[in-house]
Amino acid sequence: MKVGIIGLGLIGGSMAVDLKRKGFADEVIGVEAEPVNAAAAEKIGLVDRMAGLDQCIGESDLIVLAVPVGAAVKMLPEVLDRFAEAGDEGKIVIDVCSTKEHLARSVRYHPQRRQYVASHPMAGTEYSGPWAAMPGLFDGHACIICDAEESYPKAVRTVESLYEALNMRTIYMNSSNHDVHTAYVSHISHVTSFALALTVLDKERDEKHIFDLASGGFSSTVRLAKSSPDMWTPILSQNRDNLLHVMDTYIEKMQAFRKAIDEGDEAAVRSLIEEANKIRRIIR
Amino acid sequence: MKVGIIGLGLIGGSMAVDLKRKGFADEVIGVEAEPVNAAAAEKIGLVDRMAGLDQCIGESDLIVLAVPVGAAVKMLPEVLDRFAEAGDEGKIVIDVCSTKEHLARSVRYHPQRRQYVASHPMAGTEYSGPWAAMPGLFDGHACIICDAEESYPKAVRTVESLYEALNMRTIYMNSSNHDVHTAYVSHISHVTSFALALTVLDKERDEKHIFDLASGGFSSTVRLAKSSPDMWTPILSQNRDNLLHVMDTYIEKMQAFRKAIDEGDEAAVRSLIEEANKIRRIIR
């Protein structure tokens, strides 16, 4: 199978390497709009060959849209348009984005909708670009396939085998539930890390040496604050309603801590910590 | 030298192992009030022998108070009282706590104040108790010595060589600056993790499977929420004023994100993320 990957960053680049390595793809064709990234992807050897967007869509059996979700929302209907023009019902396009409702809405009534499979491989690091791509990135993680009933069953099976080749376990849900879940288990973590970084950076203006003391705990809590604005601006915008709901709960919890600490109510502080400790039964 | 360690949890237990292993201590005497922990510490072999509190203070040349800061504030003046009774100006007591102003205040006018060296080895994990103790815990981390001019120079030199044996680099500051710094680079990270755990646990009541999807990013952000309430309740209480100030800044930053997302202002979201990204120049 010929796989075309549009966007050779962390996700697209890592997928390119492993789909070839695991034998799922006979050939990987890469598209990268940013010239510096394209040159790097080529030099690193992430794909078999680079191509223009039209050529890639024309020649590939399966296309992976590995661009930020803002760009994906625009490109997805265009790719399906191209499938229609080519009259080829066998071609498949997938996305790998962290929000799904906007994407789903963008092609809901598209005549080629069933050639699209919505998928979200839940793996990544705080780094981005072709330099961040690595073999094994997806290994052992979960992949969500959304609204599978909207796609051709054969297309879904092909995408399942793609993620099997990446050694991921597949979970199924609709786009709307997907976006609620990711707001809780991914998006809010990024916002809390960004806010933590901003807080400490504010202080650093006066106290240059504050970071000399930064502990391992701080580093792990603030790590996601290094994440790319190109990727995260559209995610936070597109998952607006779910995220605002989670942020409001989060701010309430912070206010509960603030009140307990402000009032010197050690029993209340202890009880909040004990409640939070229940995360132990879930996160190893 | 005989080293007495009061409290054989993560910090005391790890220190016991390495001070003996690196040859700083000829003998390590342990005190542990909690019977289950005492039995475990003995079985694991963290110390050469266990003793009662009085015996340990009587026999040790250097005493490490490795108990939560609430208990340390009560015990520190008592240990200095015992030094006075014994009439031995050569004995030293150190603490290893994460807040310093309350401790400093508790012995400011004590006639034996100069036998106390305030120290904070900045290392740890989210686990606690003698089972969490491990060799090498302190390796390569920073240790803060506070108000060194209030201690006998000879006592400070001994404590410096203790932390040298643990392979830590020593930083000096006063108690008040210490507490401001730790509020920023450690305490706030714990509060944000606790609040994140509470937020997601709330949701988990309705949605049992939400954690199936938890990504590596979520785990790293929420890791500190496993931290012990025995240790953290007194830290958050004793560093109240500094922490409230940092929390207020943090909540403002969250509100700035909330507003930008709520208004669909992608330029503002991007600019907040770009600003937060500056953490990269500091945290590798």
Side-chain angles (χ1 to χ4, degrees):
Chain A
M1 172 173 315
K2 278 193 194 179
V3 175
I5 300 192
I6 300 172
L8 296 172
L10 169 68
I11 300 295
S14 300
M15 210 173 251
V17 170
D18 272 353
L19 290 181
K20 186 69 190 280
R21 204 168 62 118
K22 304 290 182 68
F24 180 88
D26 302 311
E27 187 180 22
V28 178
I29 306 168
V31 178
E32 174 54 60
E34 166 61 55
V36 174
N37 291 14
E42 202 157 12
K43 196 157 186 184
I44 299 167
L46 293 178
V47 294
D48 293 308
R49 60 186 166 98
M50 303 293 285
L53 182 61
D54 284 348
Q55 193 189 352
C56 176
I57 300 174
E59 294 184 13
S60 304
D61 304 305
L62 186 149
I63 290 153
V64 180
L65 276 182
V67 292
V69 64
V73 165
K74 289 184 199 109
M75 292 180 80
L76 178 58
E78 291 167 13
V79 173
L80 293 181
D81 290 349
R82 291 290 315 275
F83 288 179
E85 284 163 29
D88 188 342
E89 291 274 314
K91 288 192 184 231
I92 301 167
V93 59
I94 70 173
D95 77 299
V96 293
C97 296
S98 187
T99 58
K100 287 284 180 267
E101 282 203 85
H102 282 235
L103 274 167
R105 205 174 304 139
S106 75
V107 293
R108 185 164 293 152
Y109 305 109
H110 196 290
Q112 261 59 44
R113 167 66 184 85
R114 294 165 74 76
Q115 291 178 254
Y116 162 53
V117 180
S119 74
H120 178 199
M122 295 197 65
T125 72
E126 66 274 33
Y127 303 106
S128 52
W131 307 271
M134 61 174 90
L137 179 70
F138 305 100
D139 218 54
H141 290 270
C143 177
I144 308 175
I145 291 184
C146 292
D147 309 324
E149 68 288 354
E150 305 289 326
S151 310
Y152 283 129
K154 194 169 167 229
V156 174
R157 281 196 299 277
T158 303
V159 175
E160 286 167 344
S161 65
L162 179 153
Y163 285 113
E164 232 164 73
L166 297 178
N167 201 20
M168 304 193 84
R169 58 194 164 88
T170 312
I171 292 166
Y172 302 85
M173 60 177 73
N174 66 38
S175 296
S176 161
N177 281 338
H178 169 277
D179 286 7
V180 172
H181 276 71
T182 51
Y184 278 95
V185 297
S186 165
H187 305 169
I188 183 72
S189 291
H190 284 78
V191 178
T192 63
S193 276
F194 291 136
L196 180 61
L198 291 171
T199 303
V200 182
L201 286 163
D202 252 21
K203 180 67 180 176
E204 199 222 8
R205 278 191 204 116
D206 320 317
E207 293 256 10
K208 290 288 166 217
H209 298 295
I210 200 154
F211 285 109
D212 292 352
L213 304 181
S215 61
F218 176 74
S219 302
S220 114
T221 318
V222 86
R223 176 173 71 84
L224 299 178
K226 300 188 227 170
S227 300
S228 147
D230 290 337
M231 176 169 170
W232 283 94
T233 304
I235 292 175
L236 303 184
S237 307
Q238 294 204 6
N239 208 9
R240 176 179 173 279
D241 295 346
N242 292 314
L243 191 54
L244 289 179
H245 180 73
V246 183
M247 287 177 77
D248 287 342
T249 309
Y250 180 84
I251 291 168
E252 273 168 34
K253 302 295 179 188
M254 283 298 287
Q255 297 286 14
F257 258 105
R258 197 203 179 286
K259 181 165 181 285
I261 293 169
D262 188 29
E263 292 172 354
D265 185 348
E266 294 209 12
V269 172
R270 168 175 292 273
S271 132
L272 285 166
I273 296 178
E274 281 170 353
E275 185 62 31
N277 279 175
K278 290 183 183 160
I279 204 78
R280 281 185 199 150
R281 73 179 143 83
I282 292 150
I283 303 290
R284 280 149 306 267
Chain B
M1 161 168 327
K2 278 194 193 180
V3 174
I5 300 192
I6 300 172
L8 296 171
L10 169 67
I11 300 297
S14 299
M15 209 174 252
V17 170
D18 271 353
L19 290 181
K20 187 69 191 281
R21 204 168 62 116
K22 305 288 183 71
F24 180 88
D26 303 310
E27 188 180 22
V28 178
I29 306 167
V31 178
E32 175 52 60
E34 166 61 54
V36 174
N37 291 13
E42 202 157 12
K43 197 157 183 184
I44 300 168
L46 292 178
V47 295
D48 293 307
R49 62 189 165 96
M50 302 293 284
L53 182 61
D54 283 349
Q55 194 189 350
C56 176
I57 298 174
E59 293 186 13
S60 303
D61 303 306
L62 185 148
I63 290 153
V64 180
L65 276 182
V67 293
V69 64
V73 165
K74 288 185 198 108
M75 293 180 81
L76 178 59
E78 290 167 17
V79 173
L80 293 181
D81 290 349
R82 292 289 315 277
F83 287 179
E85 284 163 28
D88 187 342
E89 292 274 317
K91 288 195 183 227
I92 301 166
V93 59
I94 70 173
D95 76 301
V96 293
C97 295
S98 185
T99 57
K100 287 283 179 273
E101 283 203 87
H102 282 233
L103 275 167
R105 206 175 302 138
S106 75
V107 293
R108 183 163 296 154
Y109 304 108
H110 197 290
Q112 260 59 43
R113 167 66 184 87
R114 296 167 72 75
Q115 291 179 255
Y116 162 54
V117 180
S119 73
H120 178 198
M122 297 198 65
T125 72
E126 66 275 32
Y127 303 105
S128 51
W131 307 272
M134 60 173 89
L137 179 70
F138 305 101
D139 218 51
H141 289 270
C143 177
I144 308 175
I145 292 184
C146 292
D147 309 325
E149 67 289 354
E150 305 287 325
S151 311
Y152 283 130
K154 194 170 170 230
V156 174
R157 280 196 299 276
T158 303
V159 176
E160 286 167 342
S161 65
L162 180 153
Y163 285 113
E164 231 163 75
L166 297 178
N167 200 21
M168 303 192 86
R169 60 195 162 87
T170 312
I171 291 167
Y172 302 85
M173 60 177 75
N174 67 37
S175 297
S176 162
N177 281 339
H178 169 275
D179 286 7
V180 172
H181 276 73
T182 51
Y184 278 94
V185 297
S186 164
H187 305 170
I188 184 71
S189 290
H190 284 79
V191 177
T192 64
S193 276
F194 291 136
L196 180 61
L198 291 170
T199 302
V200 182
L201 286 162
D202 251 21
K203 179 67 179 176
E204 199 222 5
R205 278 188 205 120
D206 319 317
E207 294 255 13
K208 289 293 168 213
H209 299 296
I210 199 155
F211 286 110
D212 292 352
L213 304 180
S215 61
F218 177 75
S219 303
S220 113
T221 320
V222 87
R223 177 172 72 83
L224 299 177
K226 301 189 226 169
S227 301
S228 149
D230 292 338
M231 177 169 169
W232 282 94
T233 304
I235 291 174
L236 302 186
S237 307
Q238 293 203 8
N239 208 10
R240 178 180 173 278
D241 296 345
N242 293 316
L243 190 54
L244 288 180
H245 179 73
V246 183
M247 287 177 77
D248 287 343
T249 308
Y250 180 84
I251 291 168
E252 272 168 35
K253 301 295 180 187
M254 283 297 285
Q255 297 287 14
F257 259 104
R258 197 203 180 287
K259 181 163 179 285
I261 293 169
D262 189 28
E263 293 174 354
D265 185 349
E266 295 208 12
V269 172
R270 168 175 292 272
S271 132
L272 286 165
I273 296 178
E274 282 171 352
E275 185 62 32
N277 278 177
K278 291 185 181 157
I279 204 78
R280 283 185 197 149
R281 72 179 144 79
I282 291 147
I283 303 288
R284 275 149 310 265

